[in-house]
Amino acid sequence: MEIQETAIPLQQINDEITTKHGVRLFVLRLDLNHPYISGNKLFKLKYNLEEAKQQGKDTLLTFGGAFSNHIAATAAAGKEYEFKTIGIIRGEEHKELNPTLKFAVDCGMQLIYVSREDYKNKYVPPFLNLQTNKFSNYYLIPEGGSNELGIEGCKEITKNINIDFDVVCCPCGTGATLTGIILSLTNQQIAIGFQVLKGENYIKNEVNSWLEKFNIPKKSNFYIEESFHFGGYAKVTPQLKQFIKGFEKENNIPLDYVYTGKMMFGIYDMMERGGFEKGKTIVAIHTGGLQGNAGFNINETTE
Ligand SMILES: *Cc1c(COP(=O)(O)O)cnc(C)c1O
């Protein structure tokens, strides 16, 4: 099975701030890698889809919130590669589907809504069986596409960077994408993960437990920036909004509010504080997520 990807552009950003601090900044536009299975989610799905086919499964069953990029990507992948898809969705059903869920249903995904309480136990057999005993022959993909095969796919992200670079930056929700990236770097390169949710050491611990699962000794070629979550997952402040609008206008690169906007804000904040050594080449991974902007209530900001 071959996944069709289009070429992934590497776009340089040359502005007052990069010039002042003597760094080169590039954005790897994974958001442009595929019209519907966009961004890092394509890399996470790739080997999972192959495995599902190999196991002779005809159905993909997965999990996510109502705005989940992973739900949208899995639904699109199912349509394209001829799997039935089932999405177990956190929270109650709304009469009118938001753009993400409407897209998923239009791709043929069957949605099952579960309470937030039940969702917490989504992988636990009693609950899982109750949801899934109606289905047979399904391949289970965890939330976010974050499993070993997902990480395997994410090791290929940096292959698309066709220049020498020193630092690679990536927004983190579960840390699976960052783990794949870390595993693909040379000893001279480092990765910075921008944690988009609250929680001290949250992503750091997740990455370390992934590495343990792969039997890889602790790595010191990465660190996590934890101060750019803007109040928590999917929380937005007027300051973040203003930054995203300015960046989009300046560079003609759209950003999302949950992941890439927060990472890019963080990169600029670090540049301005002299956080990157002069002469360094930084590559920011645009992990996609733009489908989520359609349903994002940008007026709901927090301070
Ligand atoms: C899912 C997602 C992430 C987070 O990836 P993890 O592997 O869970 O850390 C980052 N950016 C975008 C746009 C995403 O959709």
Side-chain angles (χ1 to χ4, degrees), residues 248-260:
E248 290 181 338
K249 200 162 154 224
E250 198 69 31
N251 302 295
N252 206 12
I253 301 177
L255 298 173
D256 80 300
Y257 293 88
V258 182
Y259 294 103
T260 55

Side-chain angles (χ1 to χ4, degrees), residues 3 43 46 57 65 69 78-79 87 119 142 145 158 184 191 212 217 229 250 271 285 287 291 303:
I3 300 218
F43 289 86
K46 181 175 171 183
K57 308 287 192 191
N69 297 323
K79 185 176 175 197
Y119 192 84
T158 56
S184 73
E212 232 166 80
H229 58 66
E250 198 69 31
M271 280 198 292
I285 309 293
T287 43
Q291 70 83 25
E303 250 330 318

